[in-house]
Amino acid sequence: LRIINRAKYKKTLILLTDGQGNIDPDAVLQKAQEEQVTVYCVGVRFSLPDALKNIAEKTQGLWFENVLSESQLIDAYKNIYDV
């Protein structure tokens, strides 16, 4: 989220995840809200945990889970672009 401070337009973060890895969802949410960043969460081949759904919802973003194909991923990105 540090680099997003340089954004000229709407601050947007797309969190594309396969469920591996660790983040502190509370810290991400706090920083995103402080910086007025809209977070979109996209889960590839798995259901998103409630913590990631919460981040998206509380930052006025969207979430997509169980994205299984390239066409579904493209659709998710189109939905984000259209917001």
Side-chain angles (χ1 to χ4, degrees):
L1 284 172
R2 285 183 226 135
I3 198 167
I4 207 138
N5 288 330
R6 295 185 238 157
K8 292 181 181 180
Y9 304 102
K10 181 179 177 184
K11 296 178 182 179
T12 301
L13 173 68
I14 299 173
L15 178 60
L16 179 68
T17 180
D18 63 359
Q20 303 298 309
N22 259 336
I23 64 164
D24 178 350
D26 294 327
V28 171
L29 177 59
Q30 180 181 354
K31 186 69 173 171
Q33 288 175 325
E34 286 172 5
E35 301 294 333
Q36 297 179 325
V37 175
T38 302
V39 179
Y40 299 89
C41 296
V42 181
V44 178
R45 298 193 180 274
F46 84 107
S47 296
L48 288 174
D50 289 339
L52 293 181
K53 293 176 184 177
N54 185 51
I55 291 170
E57 291 170 358
K58 289 197 173 181
T59 62
Q60 315 316 303
L62 300 171
W63 51 268
F64 307 87
E65 60 185 352
N66 291 317
V67 175
L68 302 174
S69 67
E70 181 180 346
S71 64
Q72 287 178 324
L73 184 59
I74 290 169
D75 288 343
Y77 274 80
K78 284 180 181 177
N79 281 315
I80 293 167
Y81 181 78
D82 289 340
V83 172

